[in-house]
Amino acid sequence: MRTLLLLTLVLIPVSLFAQNTLYVAPTGSDTAPGTRAAPLASLAGARDAVRKLKAAGPLTGPVTVLFAPGTYYLTEPVLFTPEDSGTATAPIIYKAQGPVIFSGGAPLKDLKETKQGNLRVWQTTLPEVKTGDWYFRQLFARKSGERFYTRRFRPTRGMLLVAGTTWSPARKAQAHRAAQPDFVFFKGDLQNFENLDQVELVAIHSWSASRLKIKELDLNKDIVTLTSVPTFRIGHWYKDEHNPYYLENLKEELKQPGQWYLDRPTGLFTYLPLPDETLTNTTLIAPRLEKLVNIQGTLDPPQLVSNLRFEGLTFAHTEWPVPEQGYDVSQGQPALPAAIELTAAQSCGFERCVMAHTGAYAVTLGLGSNGCYVRGCYLYDLGGGGVKVGASNMKQDAVYPTLPTDNAVENNLITDLGLTHYSANGIWCGIVKGTKIRHNLVRRGPYTGIACGWNWTPAPTSAGDNIIENNHVHNVMQFVQDGGGIYTLGRQPGNIIRGNLIHDNHKSPFACDSGQCGLYFDEGSTGFTVDDNIVYDVDWNNSQIAQNRNTAADHKIGTNYLGVRPDDPNFPKAIAARAGLEPAYRDIEYPIRLTPNPAYAMNMPVLPPTPFGLALDFEQIPLGEAPKKLSLAGAAGEAKFGATDETAFTGKQSLKIQDMPDLGRVFYPYAYYKGTVEKGEVDLSFALKQAADRPGEFSVEFRDYANKAPGVFSSGPTLVLTNQGKLMAGAHQVATLPLGQWSQLRLIFKLGEPEDQSYQLTITLPDKTATTLTLPFAKPEFTTVTDLYLVANDTKNAVTYLDDLNLTVK
């Protein structure tokens, strides 16, 4: 029997092994046959050799391409098309035989060491940079004997604070998107720096950050003009318009070891080495490519790339160039490219690979990705996020094959991400179906860990039946806010979120609010089953699931462990133990060195306290514009708060409050002023006039949001002026104000004394008749002023005028 078996093995044709195994080595040649003795030299060469195998006849089994250890420098992205496909029984497998790096960069050569004062300096001149044929924004260093590289950062200055905004025309949009092309800076923060056009201005918003370029500086007026209007308004979200920002790639700040600078006009590269780095033990890699691998089929007509596998390989060193107009997009930044991109791909995947040192995202399973996977991979040191599934520009009602279906992102370690793009996600999914996001460990990112959905309403889409389970997400939301460990948008029937462990999402000094959540169901989210999730030590209410414009009734919410810490006897240890990498994949984390992002270590400037109060006569405000100290919401078209010269109580201008139908909310538009008063006498006075031909309902309300859950408040002094001129305090009419004429109102109340639960209201009519009333607060729980709201409450074309608004506290 043994003799027969041996005879059978001997009779297997040697040509079968030659056909089904190819060898590649950095020392090989792409004209070689691809044998062990005569290996190929590159990934592209291996792909072409597989094409020849397929052209010679049908494959009888899997084809394995084995890469010898070493670094393979790519000169262009490697493109795989449908002709490179395998089959279910004969997949094409690209596999490492040891540490293999596919690099999109190039080593910097001819470095010379000099001294500048006490600093060691390495320099070289790069002719391609001087001629405009090459420019890079990332740099990676590796010492001899180390497996992986570490990122090096360019010199920065910050944090800085916006001093204010200008009266330049703003984009006609919602208040947070009513952006301008310029802003006012504090004197000395910006100067005529060398290579000013290469300085990047990074402005922090709520859930995102703009990376902008400078067009010009006016050092007399302290105004910086940008090369484009950002997506979000600089001057929104932060008190008194003092948004934080910092400057990157500033030659004047090249002072610390580990920093580097590339002088674009001269091509001179300068690096300040760390103490243990020498020219003989350190390699510097500068990226040339934005993408490394592009697996691309077609959707019209459907021609898919199928059955390609990549195992044990490292993909590294990609660039991301800032567009000349700057870059700023919405949350998640899914429009960013990835080092590895799949489009119209089926049953293709990456197993136990490393994706690192990227300029943007690591992997995109894009439109038409079906049955693809990223499994057991180690993704770290990412300029953007980890894995994207889908695309932001996809039709909401897409179907197969365009609709990404049945893809899997599982047992991956995704860490230290969003180093350039502060809204990037560890895992982002758009309109997708049947996606499995399981057993991932996601940590150390600036924004949301795992996001699913890309529609801000509960309207039906093609999304659904996705499973997000047994993931361990922690220490995300490290830079911005309004996100969470797991974040969702839109209607996704059949989605399951279960068994996830989320913790330690804390507010950074630069975030505008404590919006660092555990589970966060944002606008339109409906149809989820939510069970056995653990959330603790997050800065937005450990004991609640965050929900915006949806309620518990929109989901099936079972037992979840919110605010239960590991030292609590009720902590679900078994559920927590299942979260994160499964035992078979816990070996994928390698020891690495990381250079901290210098932006995280910056200090938030402290300005002198802004005095509480308003003194607005509206005289110097351009017509149609709103006072800067008032924040606006719900404005659309002609519906807005804006200065007018149509009428005034004193002077020549007042504030025109224009209401319109079909604004989406009865309380649109509205303005508010934020400021905290816990003790003292508050005094508010203003003149008010309703248009005689189209009077509008209008309300004035003091609110107390202090020490309450997000969105919850108590009302204090509150007045409503109906469109019939009736002045109401709660259910009681206290006066009738003549239409088309100016009346004056004054509210005075005290805070900090428990017995004070009322305010004095003085009404002065056009004929100068004055009446003073004592009225109760709308809610006895009102103890602190945090906001003053001015609200247009009508649902028709209506106008109210406001003048001489004064708010003080003694």
Side-chain angles (χ1 to χ4, degrees), residues 27 74 89 221 281 400 507 526 559 631 653 781 797 808:
T27 56
L74 307 182
T89 57
K221 296 181 180 178
N281 75 3
Y400 180 87
K507 182 179 182 293
T526 58
T559 300
S631 300
Q653 293 186 181
E781 298 85 3
N797 188 326
T808 62

Side-chain angles (χ1 to χ4, degrees), residues 393-601:
N393 62 350
M394 183 173 152
K395 291 182 179 180
Q396 304 283 305
D397 59 351
V399 297
Y400 180 87
T402 302
L403 177 68
T405 58
D406 300 320
N407 297 294
V409 183
E410 52 192 13
N411 278 296
N412 301 292
L413 172 54
I414 304 174
T415 184
D416 299 280
L417 60 136
L419 297 175
T420 296
H421 303 285
Y422 296 128
S423 188
N425 300 151
I427 302 169
W428 178 90
C429 294
I431 304 298
V432 297
K433 195 173 186 67
T435 308
K436 294 179 177 61
I437 302 173
R438 304 173 57 254
H439 286 289
N440 299 285
L441 172 55
V442 181
R443 68 188 185 199
R444 298 201 292 266
Y447 184 52
T448 289
I450 299 172
C452 191
W454 198 243
N455 182 41
W456 280 257
T457 76
T461 70
S462 298
D465 298 328
N466 303 298
I467 299 176
I468 304 173
E469 66 179 357
N470 301 126
N471 299 284
H472 185 184
V473 183
H474 68 92
N475 291 97
V476 296
M477 302 301 306
Q478 289 187 314
F479 207 75
V480 291
Q481 68 105 40
D482 200 29
I486 297 176
Y487 172 94
T488 71
L489 279 170
R491 180 179 182 270
Q492 300 181 62
N495 271 31
I496 297 173
I497 298 179
R498 68 185 171 207
N500 299 285
L501 173 61
I502 303 170
H503 60 93
D504 288 289
N505 298 342
H506 300 298
K507 182 179 182 293
S508 85
F510 320 118
C512 64
D513 207 348
S514 295
Q516 296 73 30
C517 306
L519 295 171
Y520 186 0
F521 296 101
D522 205 353
E523 297 187 49
S525 295
T526 58
F528 289 80
T529 296
V530 188
D531 205 10
D532 277 348
N533 298 286
I534 306 168
V535 176
Y536 65 89
D537 288 352
V538 301
D539 279 6
W540 189 91
N541 206 327
N542 282 287
S543 62
Q544 288 188 16
I545 295 173
Q547 292 179 265
N548 181 26
R549 298 187 184 177
N550 62 94
T551 68
D554 295 312
H555 310 283
K556 297 178 181 178
I557 298 180
T559 300
N560 295 280
Y561 302 88
L562 308 178
V564 182
R565 303 184 74 258
D567 56 359
D568 190 305
N570 295 318
F571 185 76
K573 295 180 180 179
I575 296 173
R578 289 195 296 269
L581 302 174
E582 293 182 285
Y585 289 94
R586 290 176 185 169
D587 63 326
I588 66 173
E589 183 174 8
Y590 309 107
I592 55 174
R593 283 201 307 171
L594 289 170
T595 306
N597 185 342
Y600 282 61

